[in-house]
Amino acid sequence: MLPKDPIMLLSFVNMKLRDFYGSLDVMCEELDADRQEIEGSLESAGYHYDAERNQFI
């Protein structure tokens, strides 16, 4: 289960991307998570996914 708080979600997702997954799509598939939901939550907090860096910035 993913954190609901956007800042906690940011930390969780970036750690998973850094340490375990090569892309957001792979992470979402492996964790059975909704990419649009993650991106929507983090965009509302001012963050966007940078595929080149493989992190939300």
Side-chain angles (χ1 to χ4, degrees), residues 11-22 27 31:
S11 178
F12 176 84
V13 168
N14 276 343
M15 181 271 300
K16 289 289 190 182
L17 290 170
R18 180 189 68 229
D19 294 345
F20 301 106
Y21 301 105
M27 185 195 82
L31 298 179

Side-chain angles (χ1 to χ4, degrees), residues 4-7 9 36-48 56:
K4 297 295 182 194
D5 177 77
I7 302 305
L9 180 61
Q36 289 180 312
E37 187 177 316
I38 292 170
E39 287 184 304
S41 178
L42 293 177
E43 284 175 4
S44 72
Y47 297 95
H48 69 277
F56 282 86

